[in-house]
Amino acid sequence: MTTPRHPNFLASKLAQEMRLALVVLAVLALVPVAVSSPYWLGVLIVSMYFAMLSMGWNLLAGYTGQFSLAPAAFAMLGGYTTALLAWHWKVPLWIGLPMALVVPGLIGLVLGRIVLRLSGPYVALTTLSFAEIVRLVIYNSIDFTRGDQGLNVPALIDSRVGNYYLFVGALTVITVGVFLLLRAPTGRFLLAIRDDEIGAASRGIDVVRAKTVAFFISCAICGIAGGLYGTFAQLVSPELGLIAQTGIVIAMVVIGGMGTLVGPLIGAVLVYVASELLRDAGNVQMIVFALLVIVFARFFREGLWGLARQAIARRRSATRTAASGV
Amino acid sequence: MALLEIRAVAKRFGGLRAVDGVDVDVAEGELLGLIGPNGSGKTTLLNVLSGHMVADAGQVRLDGRSVLGLGPTALTRLGVLRMFQLTRVFNRVSAFDNLIVCGLALGLDQGRAEQRALDLLGELKLTHVMHLDGGQLSGGQKKLLEFGTCFMVPPRIALLDEPFAAVHPTMKETMATFIRRRSADGQTFILVSHDMPVVVELCPRAVCMNAGKVLADGPTQRVLNDAAVIEAYLGEDAQAAEAEHGRA
Amino acid sequence: MTGTPLLALDLFVNGLIIGLFYALMAVGLTMIFGILKIVNFAHGEFYMIGAYTYTLISLGLGVSPWLALPVAAASGALLGWATERWLMRPLYTGYGSWGLMKDEYAVVVTFGLSLLLINLVDKVVGPYPVRGPALSDVTRVALGPFMLSGQKLITAGVAIVLLIGLALFIKRSLWGRQVQAVAQNRLGASIAGIDTARATSIIFMASGVLAALAGALLAPIINPAPDVGIFPAVKSYVIVVIGGMGSIPGSIVAALALGVLESFGAVYLSYDYRDTFGLVLLILVLLFRPQGLFGERAREV
């Protein structure tokens, strides 16, 4: 038997999105060949930081239907995990960075358990409250965290290009990891839970386990992104966890395409690079993105990638009609 | 030993005894019709059997093992598959993937799940819409799809709650044929339906509930001719007529 | 004057006053939840817009702050109306056909609106805080044994009048009754001939007015800046959940309780962490009584 194919089958959809994601990553990897400006490499590094957060958030919000408003808070937690370990106990980065994955992941697991029985707006409200608590605690625990002064973090790699490839590598690992997760049965269970939690439980899906896994992985991704960002910027501050940062992540995912693998990637890079360009054109970037979020949420759920997919499908059917010929 | 033993099960909502001491045995391979007027407690009983509600009292055994208090996930994994009165499909994945996810959840591997999904789609005459998202299907197609998801792995017992309600006659026939065929192969069903001709035709045995109690249990034809059953249904008609009258 | 009981009483009264403002915010939020079952994540920006309108009208045109107050209310009403008309109405006129579910759409779109308003104000007015004019210059009024500033007293009075007015509006007026009907059963209400769209619109406008007035009244204390609405909004989320989503009396009680809790906590527990008490309370409530928030957790099938 051969596996049936259709662009709307999950397996085909995922494979197509993964191919495109690899193209985007390859293009990112080739950029330093053409661009040597440290400024623009820096812009792309930050955009890749946001791409990781977007991937993590999308796994929860786009694929599992759990509207967390805490991705930036988990990035902050990751950044501070590495920074505090290095600052207080001189823990080297090769231990400190993995901890930026583990600690936020575990905290996310606990948070996931708390919101397990909640639905819809309650998840958003609880995670938002959690995000604010964490930020306020870090902001106010001046003796331990130096408050809004922030903490210095040792650099992992000194050169700009080296850092650039560190981020390309990390983003690739995360993208492939999320792809593998989504391709596995767990990925489909997440989609089922997103569409109908009671229905999913009534078909034998372990909803608790699947949601917990999603929370752990999503928060771990945000955490390591924050950890890496800290070593790149050599500074972490409570500003990493501002609600506005979460707003940017949501904007990126909604514009790129929620609930798709490649959407967050495209969204993050385009939005961040465009925001640098718009900054020169009078600082209107956030206004434009906020408008785009509203327009996309209202009219094009699958974002830019959804629009592109429709265009591809239309062209395919057009060529097919042409080929079958009159 | 019966496959499913229901003993003195009771469930109340506040002062209302929705299920009030029900005893029913379902043997392996049986196709049992569960009938009764609206509000007689059929759906509540199914909710208890499928783990969506916890009974206040009584005992439920599946293959001799007590399953009362288990949740829907655990019961599904033991082979109690449920089709809902209000259709439940996964709206934003294709019909094909709707079936696959249910197979994977019960431990099939991807290849086996695809094979089963294709077979079921063919048998239920849904192949031509398999690429559409669950939410894009018509009401009847959704019912058929949800019906199909119960059979990705042959269940120990399938609980069908009004599968034929508001379904086009051709699709109804497809489903009835499916049920007949599986029943002949030894599949166990409980079928809740208001559609008496179908119940008479499909189910050799019927249980009629009224006000949370079992009114009659036996060969379908005899249950339908039971004086108490006729009384219960007529009572409903009389009430309906009265209500109609009152409104006019 | 420095005895402990008097300090406690002083803290209590101050807490109640803060609680009144929380109530103005939370009541609007809870009404929106009651009628649409969604959370408006741009609620803090209604407050921010109110504070700015009041301040800019009063300072820019040189008119009395008392005249700027109704203008601020009008700005809130307009914002509420526009939000409902263009962003929320699709929710109940067939969102089912879209890919996004109701909850997801509501979160994304109101969050987007919040971002939009913050950044618009940041661009148009500027990122720096503006000092809001006071309604009263009197710095100390003796009210029995308490010393309160004139501004605080006036604003508390206005807040009480507003809350009572709202209660009367909902309970007594025809529109208010229609709103109640729609909140209980949208379909039933529409069958009974109630214009559900108008009822929802009224709720958004009322909610906008309350939030904008809360912002205007507090403008001299908070000094409006583009992101000034985030914190009161977070507070009102906490209140609305603790008070039982959709319950107006519940949220008023919870608002007053949170105000008092924070007032005492800031002195007896920790000043730095005073803003986290409510958030911790929220998570505790959700941890131990999640079903209490939904009423009985029915498994609908």
Side-chain angles (χ1 to χ4, degrees):
Chain A
M1 185 205 76
T2 53
T3 303
R5 281 171 192 284
H6 188 280
N8 199 35
F9 292 160
L10 289 176
S12 323
K13 243 194 219 175
L14 259 181
Q16 185 190 26
E17 286 171 13
M18 187 61 202
R19 281 196 297 275
L20 187 66
L22 287 175
V23 171
V24 174
L25 289 165
V27 170
L28 280 173
L30 288 174
V31 163
V33 178
V35 177
S36 55
S37 144
Y39 170 74
W40 280 107
L41 288 182
V43 167
L44 284 173
I45 288 175
V46 179
S47 80
M48 285 189 276
Y49 159 70
F50 276 114
M52 294 183 216
L53 292 190
S54 300
M55 281 262 170
W57 184 72
N58 182 47
L59 186 62
L60 269 185
Y63 280 102
T64 321
Q66 303 296 301
F67 247 85
S68 162
L69 291 180
F74 279 97
M76 177 179 62
L77 278 171
Y80 270 95
T81 303
T82 313
L84 288 170
L85 287 173
W87 180 268
H88 288 289
W89 300 287
K90 307 280 170 279
V91 176
L93 284 177
W94 64 268
I95 299 175
L97 270 178
M99 292 314 275
L101 190 90
V102 175
V103 173
L106 293 177
I107 295 173
L109 207 127
V110 174
L111 186 66
R113 286 275 163 169
I114 291 177
V115 302
L116 201 61
R117 297 190 181 288
L118 309 177
S119 62
Y122 288 92
V123 176
L125 290 177
T126 312
T127 49
L128 180 68
S129 304
F130 169 81
E132 280 296 283
I133 292 177
V134 173
R135 194 179 61 83
L136 286 169
V137 167
I138 289 180
Y139 187 87
N140 284 307
S141 308
I142 294 164
D143 298 337
F144 191 54
T145 62
R146 298 208 307 167
D148 60 352
Q149 272 192 298
L151 279 177
N152 298 103
V153 187
L156 185 66
I157 300 169
D158 284 323
S159 84
R160 181 64 42 118
V161 177
N163 265 307
Y164 186 87
Y165 280 106
L166 174 67
F167 274 76
V168 172
L171 185 56
T172 307
V173 169
I174 289 171
T175 309
V176 172
V178 170
F179 168 70
L180 292 175
L181 175 77
L182 291 175
R183 209 182 53 168
T186 309
R188 290 168 191 260
F189 298 163
L190 297 182
L191 286 172
I193 290 169
R194 176 190 73 177
D195 281 1
D196 179 1
E197 205 171 310
I198 295 173
S202 312
R203 287 295 172 266
I205 293 170
D206 190 338
V207 175
V208 173
R209 188 171 156 273
K211 270 196 192 177
T212 313
V213 167
F215 261 95
F216 176 80
I217 295 178
S218 167
C219 296
I221 290 174
C222 293
I224 190 65
L228 288 171
Y229 181 82
T231 68
F232 163 67
Q234 300 185 29
L235 179 76
V236 292
S237 77
E239 288 190 9
L240 281 178
L242 283 175
I243 297 297
Q245 297 279 308
T246 292
I248 295 173
V249 171
I250 294 179
M252 288 167 165
V253 176
V254 171
I255 291 172
M258 224 174 131
T260 68
L261 181 67
V262 75
L265 208 58
I266 303 174
V269 175
L270 283 187
V271 165
Y272 200 77
V273 171
S275 86
E276 284 304 307
L277 296 172
L278 287 172
R279 197 191 302 269
D280 301 336
N283 236 347
V284 291
Q285 68 275 21
M286 283 315 292
I287 299 174
V288 174
F289 297 140
L291 274 175
L292 280 177
V293 166
I294 295 172
V295 169
F296 274 91
R298 178 76 183 77
F299 299 105
F300 318 104
R301 166 177 69 98
E302 290 193 322
L304 288 175
W305 167 234
L307 289 179
R309 223 162 63 96
Q310 279 172 18
I312 294 170
R314 216 172 298 132
R315 225 185 46 204
R316 264 195 201 149
S317 67
T319 45
R320 206 174 302 143
T321 340
S324 62
V326 188
Chain B
M1 183 185 64
L3 170 67
L4 185 72
E5 294 171 56
I6 304 167
R7 288 280 173 277
V9 164
K11 174 76 190 172
R12 58 162 64 193
F13 302 111
L16 174 77
R17 295 162 191 269
V19 174
D20 191 7
V22 166
D23 291 283
V24 175
D25 277 359
V26 184
E28 176 113 46
E30 200 164 14
L31 171 42
L32 174 73
L34 181 57
I35 59 172
N38 287 327
S40 58
K42 300 171 307 240
T43 295
T44 305
L45 182 61
L46 281 204
N47 283 341
V48 168
L49 297 181
S50 64
H52 288 88
M53 281 176 188
V54 182
D56 301 327
Q59 187 53 262
V60 178
R61 288 199 192 84
L62 181 73
D63 291 318
R65 177 189 156 187
S66 168
V67 293
L68 203 70
L70 293 183
T73 310
L75 276 162
T76 304
R77 289 182 176 185
L78 288 175
V80 180
L81 268 288
R82 164 80 186 271
M83 185 177 168
F84 294 91
Q85 194 170 1
L86 295 172
T87 321
R88 286 185 176 276
V89 295
F90 303 121
N91 279 326
R92 290 182 282 176
V93 293
S94 69
F96 182 55
D97 289 300
N98 257 280
L99 288 165
I100 288 181
V101 72
C102 297
L104 294 174
L106 292 176
L108 295 186
D109 63 35
Q110 179 77 23
R112 288 281 303 280
E114 283 177 4
Q115 180 67 59
R116 288 285 301 164
L118 288 176
D119 292 348
L120 283 167
L121 286 164
E123 201 171 349
L124 295 170
K125 304 198 171 73
L126 287 175
T127 313
H128 63 294
V129 291
M130 65 194 265
H131 62 280
L132 293 181
D133 282 352
Q136 295 173 309
L137 300 177
S138 74
Q141 290 168 339
K142 280 184 192 168
K143 279 257 177 206
L144 273 177
L145 178 63
E146 191 194 347
F147 179 79
T149 57
C150 297
F151 299 95
M152 281 300 287
V153 173
R156 287 295 288 146
I157 181 165
L159 312 173
L160 309 177
D161 198 353
E162 298 285 2
F164 311 117
V167 172
H168 187 274
T170 358
M171 292 183 184
K172 186 168 135 187
E173 190 41 47
T174 307
M175 224 185 292
T177 309
F178 187 100
I179 294 173
R180 230 176 272 129
R181 203 178 293 151
R182 293 299 149 107
S183 180
D185 294 345
Q187 168 69 51
T188 316
F189 291 92
I190 295 181
L191 171 64
V192 172
S193 185
H194 267 110
D195 193 333
M196 287 310 152
V198 177
V199 173
V200 171
E201 196 238 292
L202 286 176
C203 309
R205 175 186 160 207
V207 167
C208 179
M209 284 179 74
N210 189 35
K213 290 190 192 317
V214 172
L215 215 52
D217 180 350
T220 306
Q221 212 39 262
R222 212 170 69 205
V223 167
L224 287 180
N225 291 329
D226 188 294
V229 171
I230 293 170
E231 166 73 29
Y233 272 97
L234 278 183
E236 194 193 28
D237 284 350
Q239 274 169 19
E242 216 166 88
E244 200 75 11
H245 189 73
R247 211 175 298 142
Chain C
M1 196 57 214
T2 49
T4 320
L6 210 53
L7 171 69
L9 212 57
D10 202 38
L11 287 174
F12 186 73
V13 170
N14 270 297
L16 281 184
I17 291 177
I18 295 168
L20 279 173
F21 291 106
Y22 290 168
L24 283 184
M25 289 288 288
V27 162
L29 203 64
T30 213
M31 286 194 306
I32 291 177
F33 185 84
I35 202 158
L36 275 184
K37 305 290 175 283
I38 58 142
V39 173
N40 173 20
F41 280 96
H43 201 62
E45 282 57 54
F46 287 17
Y47 167 95
M48 181 266 290
I49 294 288
Y52 264 107
T53 310
Y54 167 82
T55 305
L56 295 180
I57 289 285
S58 161
L59 293 182
L61 301 180
V63 297
S64 150
W66 286 100
L67 287 175
L69 220 47
V71 182
S75 74
L78 184 69
L79 194 57
W81 177 83
T83 307
E84 192 279 333
R85 180 69 193 80
W86 288 312
L87 300 181
M88 293 298 129
R89 191 154 296 181
L91 269 180
Y92 50 92
T93 52
Y95 65 86
S97 55
W98 319 340
L100 275 179
M101 311 271 266
K102 181 181 163 188
D103 290 339
E104 298 171 2
Y105 172 76
V107 176
V108 168
V109 103
T110 56
F111 211 88
L113 178 65
S114 151
L115 275 183
L116 178 66
L117 291 174
I118 291 176
N119 288 288
L120 263 181
V121 169
D122 185 284
K123 179 72 192 158
V124 175
V125 186
Y128 306 108
V130 191
R131 189 169 172 75
L135 286 165
S136 152
D137 299 330
V138 184
T139 49
R140 288 166 81 81
V141 182
L143 188 76
F146 311 111
M147 299 301 277
L148 293 166
S149 77
Q151 177 74 22
K152 255 191 182 167
L153 213 57
I154 291 170
T155 51
V158 175
I160 291 172
V161 170
L162 281 172
L163 289 173
I164 292 173
L166 177 82
L168 289 177
F169 171 72
I170 298 269
K171 285 252 184 268
R172 297 286 160 82
S173 76
L174 182 62
W175 278 5
R177 293 208 192 115
Q178 294 189 351
V179 162
Q180 280 180 297
V182 177
Q184 275 170 25
N185 185 341
R186 178 169 289 275
L187 184 64
S190 75
I191 290 169
I194 294 173
D195 184 345
T196 55
R198 192 182 60 195
T200 316
S201 194
I202 290 170
I203 282 299
F204 266 87
M205 288 165 73
S207 161
V209 168
L210 292 178
L213 281 177
L217 291 170
L218 286 184
I221 303 166
I222 56 168
N223 295 335
D227 59 354
V228 80
I230 292 175
F231 234 75
V234 172
K235 291 270 164 67
S236 43
Y237 303 146
V238 171
I239 291 162
V240 164
V241 174
I242 293 173
M245 300 275 258
S247 153
I248 295 177
S251 58
I252 293 178
V253 171
L256 296 176
L258 182 66
V260 172
L261 172 79
E262 285 184 352
S263 173
F264 276 88
V267 172
Y268 292 110
L269 290 172
S270 155
Y271 182 77
D272 289 339
Y273 295 103
R274 67 191 181 286
D275 288 327
T276 56
F277 302 148
L279 300 168
V280 173
L281 197 63
L282 168 80
I283 290 187
L284 288 177
V285 167
L286 291 173
L287 253 180
F288 294 110
R289 293 196 52 193
Q291 73 279 27
L293 304 170
F294 298 92
E296 193 173 345
R297 212 173 83 86
R299 288 176 176 160
E300 84 284 12
V301 278

